[in-house]
Amino acid sequence: MSTIRNIYYRGSLEYCNYTCSYCPFGRKSASADTDGDREALHRFISRIGQWKHGALRILIIPYGEAMIHRYYREGIIRLAAMPHVAGVSCQTNLSFSVSRFLDEVEEARADVTKIKFWGSYHPEMADVTDFASKIEKLHAAGIEVCAGVVGDPSAKEQIRRLRLLLDPSVYLFVNAMQGLRKPLSEEDVRFFNEMDNLFDYDRRNAKACLNNCSGGRESLFVDREGGMYACPRSGVRTGNFYDDSASLLQPSCLRKVCDCYIAFSNLRDTPLRRMMGEGALWRIPERKKVRAVFFDIDGTLTDVQGRIPGRTVSALKYMSGRLPLYLSTALPMAHAKKRLGDVFDLFSGGVFADGGFLCYEDTVECVPVEHPVALDFPGCRIIRYTWKGEIFKYAVLASTVREATRLSAGLEGEAYQLYQEGRLLTVVDSRAGKKNGLMTLCSRLGISLREILVVGNTMHDWPMMSVAGYSCAVMDAEEELKKLSGYILNPDSIPVFFDI
C-alpha cells in the first residue's frame, strides 16, 4: 500500500438526472436509496483521513451524477482539506449549481487548487453555452477542469461550438462512441482528431500489459464495499481497503484490452501518458512551462493547400499575447512574410533560409556561404539570397529530380549543408542549418534550450527539435518524426498542454 498514490473510488450511486439515449444510468429510478451510498462515502473519507503512506490523489467515478447530492460536494471539500490529499476530482455532467458549490467551498475555506472536475457535456440534455459558462466559472475560480463529450457524429456542430466557447487552455476530450450502427467515416475521424488530438488513443484502445501498468502498484480502484482492484476494469479483487492487515497482493488483470481511458491511462511508457504527464489521472494535461515556441511553416502552420487554418490563427493570437513566438523555416524571410500574411506579425522573429538568416528583436544577421558555389548549373534556375552583399543561401531548381540529385552529389563536402526536395536543391553554409540557427538565436536572447518548444512536421526539422526541451510533431507529420517527438499535437492544442 505504501506505493499507492492514486485512488479511484466508486460508491453505489447509479442514478443520473440526465436521460441520454446512449447511457443506461439515466434510466435508473430517481427514488433510488442514497443512504447506503452516503455511508459508504463517509467510510471511504474516514479511511483516507487515516492514510499514512504519503500524498494521495483521488478521483471519484460514480455510475451516475454525484455532484447534485450535497454529501458528495461536502465529501470533496473534506478531502481537499486533508494535508496529505494532493488533489480530488469527480466525473460530473456539471448540472449542479456551480455558484452554490463555490459558495460552499468559500464557506469551508477549502484549498480550491486541490479541487478539479472531469466535466462531460451531453448535447441531448444541456445547452452548450450554459455548459461552457460553468466551465469558465470554475476555471476563473482556480479549479482545473477538463471538458469531455461522446464522439457522436450527429453532434459535431455542438462539439465545434463548445471548443470555440472554451478557453484555449481547457482540454476538450472526445470519447469514442460505443454501439454505433456504422463505423465512423474518415471525415468524422478527422473532425474528432482535430477537436481532441488524443482521440485515436480512445478510439483504438490499447493492448493490456500488466508488466507495463501502474494499476495495483501506483493506482488503486476501491468499490463501495472496500474491494480493491488494479483499475475499474481489471476484474480481479486483491483485498479490502478497510482491513488494517491488508496489503495489496500481486497486481492481476483479466483484461486483454484496456477499453476505457482510465484503464489505458495507467499504462506506462505510452505517448498518451507522456503527453498527459501527472495529469493523466484527472484527464487534465500537466501543462509544462515554456518561455518561447518555435514553428516550422510549411506543413506545420499550413495545411496541404498551403493555408493556415482558422483554429491555428486563433491559437497563435492567444499564445503571442503571452510569450514570444518564433519561426524556424527553410523559407527566406520575404517568402515567409508572403506565405503567412498578417499572421507573420504575431512572431518576434526567427530562423529563416535554413539558418542562413536570423531575425530577433531589432537585430538581423546572416551566415554567409563561406565558399561560394562554383559548379556550373546548366539548364537550372538559380536564386542567390543576399544580405548586405553576402550570399547566405542558394536555391537551385533543376530540370529533373535526377539532375538535382547529381548536383547534390557534386557539392558534397564539409563546406555546405544541402537539402533536396524533388527538383529543388538548397545550399547554405555548414555553419547554418535550422538547429544551429535556433541555438544561436536562443543564446542571443538568453533563453535556455530546455525552456523552449519546437514544432515541426518532417525529419528535416528533427535536428532542431532534438536540442529543445520539448519537441512536438503535428498530427500529419512524418511517422518517423512522430515516433521521436515528445508530443504529437496540432498548433491549436499547444495551450492545452503547455503553460504559456
Side-chain angles (χ1 to χ4, degrees):
M1 295 287 280
S2 62
T3 62
I4 298 299
R5 295 292 175 264
N6 302 322
I7 294 181
Y8 308 98
Y9 172 76
R10 176 178 293 144
S12 59
L13 182 70
E14 292 188 353
Y15 162 71
C16 182
N17 57 332
Y18 281 180
T19 56
C20 301
S21 59
Y22 52 80
C23 179
F25 303 106
R27 292 187 282 276
K28 297 287 184 177
S29 171
S31 62
D33 178 38
T34 58
D35 290 343
D37 184 55
R38 182 187 296 107
E39 291 174 4
L41 178 64
H42 289 337
R43 187 184 185 195
F44 173 76
I45 293 172
S46 296
R47 178 68 178 91
I48 295 298
Q50 300 164 6
W51 189 264
K52 299 178 181 179
H53 303 293
L56 277 177
R57 306 187 314 158
I58 300 165
L59 173 61
I60 298 172
I61 50 173
Y63 275 154
E65 177 52 41
M67 292 299 295
I68 58 174
H69 301 285
R70 186 178 181 89
Y71 65 92
Y72 270 103
R73 300 196 303 273
E74 291 175 342
I76 286 174
I77 292 172
R78 282 177 60 195
L79 288 168
M82 296 180 183
H84 59 282
V85 172
V88 56
S89 181
C90 181
Q91 293 178 331
T92 171
N93 60 25
L94 293 183
S95 59
F96 64 97
S97 170
V98 168
S99 297
R100 181 189 304 159
F101 176 71
L102 292 177
D103 288 342
E104 292 168 349
V105 169
E106 184 177 1
E107 183 179 347
R109 297 184 179 180
D111 184 350
V112 72
T113 63
K114 287 187 178 184
I115 300 174
K116 309 171 193 303
F117 284 112
W118 175 321
S120 296
Y121 168 59
H122 300 276
E124 296 178 12
M125 303 300 301
D127 177 77
V128 64
T129 303
D130 290 344
F131 181 86
S133 176
K134 290 188 173 186
I135 293 282
E136 181 182 5
K137 188 174 292 187
L138 290 166
H139 188 69
I143 294 177
E144 289 187 291
V145 189
C146 64
V149 65
V150 172
D152 181 355
S154 67
K156 286 195 292 188
E157 285 310 308
Q158 293 102 311
I159 297 171
R160 190 194 311 275
R161 177 65 177 161
L162 177 58
R163 179 65 275 178
L164 290 172
L165 289 171
L166 293 174
D167 186 273
S169 66
V170 172
Y171 178 40
L172 172 63
F173 67 82
V174 179
N175 278 340
M177 188 173 185
Q178 304 298 324
L180 282 172
R181 295 181 180 178
K182 61 180 181 178
L184 293 174
S185 68
E186 290 186 9
E187 180 185 347
D188 291 336
V189 172
R190 188 180 307 110
F191 172 81
F192 291 134
N193 273 321
E194 288 174 357
M195 295 298 103
D196 175 9
N197 290 175
L198 305 184
F199 173 67
D200 263 349
Y201 294 105
D202 197 84
R203 184 168 72 100
R204 302 182 188 280
N205 295 316
K207 183 179 179 180
C209 181
L210 188 60
N211 292 333
N212 188 39
C213 182
S214 62
R217 297 177 175 90
E218 300 169 13
S219 299
L220 178 67
F221 170 58
V222 178
D223 67 15
R224 61 187 178 185
E225 297 174 349
M228 298 189 300
Y229 302 80
C231 86
R233 305 293 288 167
S234 70
V236 182
R237 190 175 183 275
T238 61
N240 191 283
F241 192 58
Y242 305 115
D243 186 343
D244 290 337
S245 63
S247 60
L248 196 62
L249 302 179
Q250 182 67 27
S252 184
C253 183
L254 297 178
R255 310 296 297 188
K256 292 183 179 180
V257 174
C258 296
D259 57 357
C260 75
Y261 172 84
I262 288 177
F264 58 69
S265 69
N266 279 302
L267 294 175
R268 302 185 180 106
D269 302 326
T270 64
L272 180 140
R273 184 78 175 265
R274 185 171 65 244
M275 289 189 279
M276 295 293 288
E278 290 298 312
L281 174 72
W282 325 114
R283 210 167 189 172
I284 299 173
E286 179 188 3
R287 299 171 68 226
K288 302 299 178 70
K289 181 68 177 178
V290 292
R291 290 185 57 195
V293 186
F294 288 76
F295 292 93
D296 172 54
I297 295 179
D298 290 332
T300 299
L301 292 178
T302 62
D303 59 20
V304 291
Q305 284 81 36
R307 298 172 299 195
I308 307 176
R311 61 185 184 277
T312 298
V313 175
S314 296
L316 292 173
K317 289 179 178 178
Y318 177 87
M319 288 187 281
S320 67
R322 290 161 172 79
L323 86 173
L325 306 180
Y326 297 94
L327 296 166
S328 190
T329 174
L331 297 172
M333 191 165 75
H335 292 197
K337 284 183 177 180
K338 184 176 181 180
R339 187 70 50 87
L340 297 178
D342 293 341
V343 174
F344 184 85
D345 294 333
L346 300 176
F347 293 88
S348 300
V351 178
F352 302 92
D354 277 321
F357 191 85
L358 305 180
C359 176
Y360 54 95
E361 295 179 338
D362 295 324
T363 303
V364 172
E365 60 182 87
C366 74
V367 180
V369 179
E370 192 170 6
H371 302 282
V373 175
L375 286 182
D376 187 19
F377 298 119
C380 298
R381 181 187 176 192
I382 305 172
I383 300 177
R384 297 171 177 82
Y385 296 96
T386 65
W387 172 255
K388 294 184 177 179
E390 295 186 297
I391 300 173
F392 59 83
K393 179 176 180 175
Y394 293 87
V396 182
L397 185 63
S399 56
T400 64
V401 174
R402 183 176 180 180
E403 178 65 8
T405 303
R406 185 189 70 80
L407 294 172
S408 177
L411 285 171
E412 286 183 357
E414 297 182 357
Y416 311 111
Q417 288 198 41
L418 310 173
Y419 306 102
Q420 183 184 347
E421 185 175 355
R423 296 163 51 205
L424 180 65
L425 175 66
T426 61
V427 183
V428 296
D429 193 81
S430 60
R431 299 166 298 157
K434 288 186 177 182
K435 173 183 173 181
N436 288 343
L438 180 144
M439 294 174 68
T440 298
L441 192 147
C442 285
S443 176
R444 300 278 198 273
L445 295 171
I447 301 175
S448 169
L449 292 171
R450 296 191 302 272
E451 299 176 294
I452 66 170
L453 167 67
V454 182
V455 189
N457 73 307
T458 70
M459 286 303 295
H460 181 49
D461 298 318
W462 177 244
M464 67 168 176
M465 294 167 68
S466 69
V467 299
Y470 304 99
S471 58
C472 179
V474 295
M475 298 288 288
D476 291 333
E478 294 177 358
E479 289 301 318
E480 187 176 357
L481 185 69
K482 290 197 281 189
K483 291 177 182 177
L484 293 171
S485 298
Y487 292 79
I488 306 171
L489 304 167
N490 283 333
D492 55 299
S493 290
I494 288 173
V496 172
F497 290 82
F498 291 89
D499 181 6
I500 56 174

